[in-house]
Amino acid sequence: MDFASVNVPNSLGHVCAARATPDFHPGAIAPVGSIVATTEDLVIPAAIGTDINCGMRLLTTGLSHDEVNEQKSSIIAQLKRVLLQDERNIPVTPQSFQALFDEGIAAWIAALPQQGLWQHVNFKRLLAKINQISEQSLITTDSKYAPEAFFESRSIIRPASLGTVGSGNHFVQLQIVDEILDRHLAYQMGLKKCFCNNNSHWFT
């Protein structure tokens, strides 16, 4: 409540709205996992917090509650192997890192080796998704500022952090869509509530 009611005395600057994301929890100053909208003349540096540039991604699975329950142990085992036991196979090359820093994300994708995970990726869809969430024209980089480890003299590099959910409180959830509030937005995102005879719901 204190965060949502921030204002500048003797000024029109104030918080217009505050929202909480699923990982909402107390922070040093502002709550972590919070989103705040302010008037144009007000900036709250503490609202950026230590989670700057963290992201959230929603993916639909097409699986019902019953289907997930039937495969629960297998799904958990696969997620553990990929996310916790470093069994990801996401190869990159020094050339692809060079392209990323000097030319951008599209050039990086074009320079990726057709090995490991990349053999199964729909690159056209991947680029479309990246364009939806990233304003690439605002990103300016140069490989001279990149970590030297990205340009080691070897054909394939497998960065330990690539493809993980990060450290700390980052997580993967399976959630049920039990109510649709905005059917147009839900349609755009591929979400739907399942009206099945067995009352099972689709997992996302």
Side-chain angles (χ1 to χ4, degrees), residues 24-202:
F24 185 76
H25 61 277
I29 301 177
V32 176
S34 59
I35 302 171
V36 59
T38 66
T39 52
E40 293 183 1
D41 56 349
L42 176 62
V43 175
I44 307 176
I48 298 173
T50 56
D51 280 1
I52 186 170
N53 204 36
C54 284
M56 293 180 61
R57 183 74 186 277
L58 174 67
L59 300 171
T60 57
T61 67
L63 296 174
S64 70
H65 182 275
D66 291 342
E67 290 170 327
V68 169
N69 277 338
E70 290 173 3
Q71 305 175 52
K72 186 175 180 178
S73 58
S74 174
I75 292 172
I76 291 174
Q78 290 183 56
L79 287 174
K80 281 185 176 180
R81 284 198 300 271
V82 172
L83 299 176
L84 302 178
Q85 299 169 359
D86 197 24
E87 292 193 16
R88 298 173 304 284
N89 185 8
I90 310 179
V92 294
T93 65
Q95 292 76 23
S96 56
F97 273 128
Q98 186 92 32
L100 172 64
F101 287 101
D102 290 341
E103 301 176 58
I105 296 176
W108 174 66
I109 290 175
L112 288 170
Q114 294 303 302
Q115 301 177 28
L117 176 74
W118 305 120
Q119 297 177 87
H120 311 289
V121 170
N122 181 331
F123 287 99
K124 183 177 180 180
R125 181 183 179 192
L126 176 61
L127 275 171
K129 290 292 184 182
I130 289 174
N131 288 331
Q132 286 180 343
I133 63 176
S134 173
E135 186 59 59
Q136 296 183 51
S137 62
L138 300 179
I139 302 175
T140 303
T141 60
D142 193 304
S143 57
K144 66 183 179 183
Y145 300 115
E148 294 180 1
F150 289 170
F151 306 105
E152 292 180 357
S153 57
R154 47 182 172 151
S155 58
I156 294 294
I157 302 173
R158 288 182 171 82
S161 62
L162 192 60
T164 72
V165 293
S167 60
N169 68 318
H170 297 158
F171 54 88
V172 173
Q173 287 183 325
L174 289 178
Q175 298 182 336
I176 297 173
V177 177
D178 56 12
E179 184 178 2
I180 298 294
L181 301 178
D182 185 329
R183 62 187 182 89
H184 297 291
L185 182 60
Y187 178 80
Q188 292 176 17
M189 300 180 71
L191 299 176
K192 61 182 179 179
K193 178 180 178 180
C194 181
F195 298 95
C196 304
N197 293 329
N198 61 359
N199 293 319
S200 64
H201 299 278
W202 298 108

